[in-house]
């Protein structure tokens, strides 16, 4: 294993690893769309949180060592295999169907295996480093507790509860495991958190946000069913174009300025503990809802497009309350997280975005009484207006941040060109 460096960036192997999560996010939205109940939505959130922790564990490893060197690619492939089976087991994660392997047990074992591989890599790296050894021991203890909880979630509920209570008990045990995972990392503080490359850390999290936004685009094509089963109508085309406008605005809201500003603030934070705390709060914790928001929006969009493409759906039909909840709720969650990131990292309140969130909440009673196409249009108009207003409000910051980013990019390109001219 070769150690990483302060200037390292994401590797192609890490991008390859993210492909599993493209499938996993599609699996989450598809399964939740087919089980669109309060319990189904809670299961969706639990699975998303578990997926995020499995993903961020590999991001931590990639920040410490070069994942495309030595034995790491093979360990990454093994982790990908476990994550893929974890995603395949999602349909039976909380209740096993007859005729195959026990779904809850496969789900639990795969999650534990992914986390165990990550902790094992950390243990190998910690052999000659006292700080990493302390971090490894903390991770080992946390993983042992979590492993006990997830195996208990897989094995005990069917023995202790009837069919009606089995899923509820299993959910409670998984939620307890999540609390241990997240709470222990928070309780240990920044002293147990090592950040080697700020650029790599920011880039990895930006890429997974891109994957989440891409899930919405995939929902446009695969979620409606009209690709192979249902006719293509003008209603579907207009709805798809409105959804693309929403996703484009969400992309702009994060990537145009804020993502660059977050990375530059992380680079400017020199004190190790302060930098680690910033990396943990702004990325590991706050990027989770930033990923969950577009996935919830994709879930609502999948159901809206499916209804729009079905010939039996009457013209001018209203959006069901649950669809409205995930459509507006997903966008609102994304925008609220942008506000939280601005406050945590830049110490500023993004007032246009706050106003947009309030407007989305106030519009819910109205859009519940208008046809679904008009409801999606109103959502699109609000999101576009918020994006334009926030961009105008950020004009001085935007100019400074983007000029700095361009100067850094040009300097890196010039240095690389010089090196290649001498050595290649």
């Amino acid at each position: 294993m070769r150690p990483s460096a302060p200037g390292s960036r994401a590797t192609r192997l890490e991008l390859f690893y993210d492909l599993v999560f493209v499938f996993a996010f599609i699996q989450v939205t598809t399964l939740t769309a087919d089980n669109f109940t309060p319990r189904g939505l809670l299961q969706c959130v639990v699975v998303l949180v578990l997926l995020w922790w499995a993903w961020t564990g590999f991001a931590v490893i990639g920040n410490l060592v070069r994942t495309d060197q030595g034995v790491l690619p093979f360990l990454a492939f093994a982790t990908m295999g476990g994550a893929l089976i974890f995603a395949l087991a999602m349909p039976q994660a909380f209740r096993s169907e007859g005729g195959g392997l026990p779904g809850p047990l496969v789900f639990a074992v795969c999650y534990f295996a992914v986390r165990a591989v990550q902790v094992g890599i950390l243990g190998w790296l910690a052999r000659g480093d006292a700080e990493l050894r302390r971090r490894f021991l903390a991770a080992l203890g946390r993983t042992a507790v979590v492993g006990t909880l997830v195996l208990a979630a897989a094995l005990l509920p069917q023995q202790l509860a009837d069919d009606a209570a089995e899923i509820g008990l299993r959910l409670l045990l998984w939620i307890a495991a999540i609390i241990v995972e997240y709470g222990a990392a928070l309780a240990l503080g920044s002293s147990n958190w090592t950040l080697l490359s700020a650029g790599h850390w920011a880039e990895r999290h930006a890429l997974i946000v891109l994957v989440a936004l891409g899930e919405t685009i995939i929902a446009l094509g695969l979620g409606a069913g009209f690709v192979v089963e249902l006719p293509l109508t003008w209603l579907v085309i207009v709805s798809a174009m409105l959804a693309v406008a929403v996703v484009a605005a969400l992309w702009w809201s994060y990537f145009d300025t804020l993502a660059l500003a977050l990375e530059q603030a992380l680079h400017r934070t020199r004190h190790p503990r302060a930098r680690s705390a910033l990396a943990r709060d702004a990325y590991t914790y706050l990027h989770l809802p930033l990923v969950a928001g577009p996935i919830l929006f994709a879930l609502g969009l999948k159901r809206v497009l499916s209804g729009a493409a079905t010939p039996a759906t009457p013209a001018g039909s209203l959006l069901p309350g649950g669809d409205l909840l995930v459509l507006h709720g997903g966008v609102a969650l994304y925008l609220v997280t942008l506000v939280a990131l601005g406050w945590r990292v830049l110490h500023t309140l993004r007032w246009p975005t706050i106003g947009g969130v309030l407007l989305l909440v106030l519009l819910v009673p109205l859009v519940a009484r208008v046809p679904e196409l008009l409801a999606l249009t109103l959502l699109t108009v609000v999101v576009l207006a918020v994006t334009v207003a926030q961009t105008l409000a950020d004009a001085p910051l935007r100019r400074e941040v983007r000029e700095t980013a361009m100067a850094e990019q040009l300097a890196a390109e010039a240095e690389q060109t010089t090196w290649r001219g001498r050595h290649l």
Side-chain angles (χ1 to χ4, degrees), residues 83-108:
L84 179 62
I85 300 173
F86 176 76
L88 289 173
M90 285 180 193
Q92 300 184 45
F94 298 96
R95 185 170 184 176
S96 183
E97 302 294 337
L101 295 173
L105 183 60
V106 174
F107 187 77

Side-chain angles (χ1 to χ4, degrees), residues 186-209:
L186 190 63
L188 290 170
S190 58
S191 61
N192 199 53
W193 200 278
T194 302
L195 183 70
L196 186 58
S197 172
H200 170 273
W201 193 247
E203 185 178 15
R204 287 295 290 127
H205 287 79
L207 289 171
I208 199 65
V209 172

Side-chain angles (χ1 to χ4, degrees), residues 3-346:
S4 187
S8 65
R9 307 296 292 191
T11 65
R12 290 183 178 89
L13 182 68
E14 290 174 292
L15 303 183
F16 185 51
Y17 181 77
D18 287 352
L19 294 178
V20 174
F21 291 86
V22 175
F23 168 72
F25 291 159
I26 295 172
Q27 185 85 320
V28 169
T29 55
T30 301
L31 295 174
T32 309
D34 294 336
N35 181 29
F36 200 69
T37 63
R39 177 179 282 177
L41 286 175
L42 178 58
Q43 292 174 2
C44 169
V45 172
V46 168
V47 171
L48 277 178
V49 171
L50 293 170
L51 282 171
W52 177 256
W53 206 250
W55 177 87
T56 199
F58 195 71
V60 169
I61 297 299
N63 197 259
L64 296 174
V65 293
R66 301 182 188 276
T67 54
D68 56 353
Q69 302 292 324
V71 73
L72 260 299
F74 302 102
L75 295 176
F77 298 152
T79 307
M80 286 179 65
L84 179 62
I85 300 173
F86 176 76
L88 289 173
M90 285 180 193
Q92 300 184 45
F94 298 96
R95 185 170 184 176
S96 183
E97 302 294 337
L101 295 173
L105 183 60
V106 174
F107 187 77
V109 168
C110 286
Y111 176 77
F112 178 74
V114 168
R115 296 292 294 125
V117 170
Q118 294 167 353
V119 173
I121 295 173
L122 187 62
W124 179 267
L125 297 173
R127 291 174 303 158
D129 189 319
E131 181 180 350
L132 277 180
R133 189 180 303 113
R134 184 174 65 252
R135 185 177 176 184
F136 162 70
L137 292 174
L140 185 62
R142 182 172 71 244
T143 304
V145 174
V146 169
T148 302
L149 287 171
V150 299
L151 291 176
L155 299 173
L156 293 182
Q158 64 266 33
Q159 300 177 14
L160 301 179
D162 56 21
D163 290 344
E166 178 182 340
I167 296 178
L169 180 57
R170 185 165 282 125
L171 269 172
L172 287 176
L173 288 169
W174 274 109
I175 291 172
I178 289 170
I179 291 173
V180 172
E181 286 274 39
Y182 284 72
L186 190 63
L188 290 170
S190 58
S191 61
N192 199 53
W193 200 278
T194 302
L195 183 70
L196 186 58
S197 172
H200 170 273
W201 193 247
E203 185 178 15
R204 287 295 290 127
H205 287 79
L207 289 171
I208 199 65
V209 172
L210 198 61
V211 168
L213 292 172
E215 162 60 15
T216 306
I217 302 299
I218 294 171
L220 294 175
L222 299 181
F226 60 82
V227 176
V228 294
E229 302 170 4
L230 300 174
L232 181 62
T233 65
W234 281 109
L235 182 60
V236 170
I237 291 175
V238 173
S239 299
M241 291 300 97
L242 292 172
V244 168
V246 172
V247 176
L250 297 181
W251 180 94
W252 184 276
S253 299
Y254 176 75
F255 285 97
D256 177 68
T257 301
L258 186 59
L260 299 173
L262 296 178
E263 181 177 348
Q264 291 171 14
L266 196 58
H267 281 295
R268 291 191 183 104
T269 306
R270 299 288 194 262
H271 192 279
R273 288 197 176 185
R275 174 182 277 199
S276 298
L278 186 63
R280 178 198 62 199
D281 297 344
Y283 288 95
T284 299
Y285 287 97
L286 284 178
H287 272 61
L288 170 58
L290 203 64
V291 167
I295 292 175
L296 290 175
F297 175 71
L299 170 62
L301 187 63
K302 187 189 296 285
R303 292 178 57 83
V304 168
L305 289 177
S306 181
T310 303
T313 302
S317 60
L318 305 182
L319 273 175
D323 296 354
L324 186 60
L325 173 66
V326 290
L327 273 175
H328 278 242
V331 173
L333 178 62
Y334 186 90
L335 296 179
V336 166
T337 307
L338 295 181
V339 173
L341 284 169
W343 177 254
R344 174 62 181 89
V345 181
L346 306 178

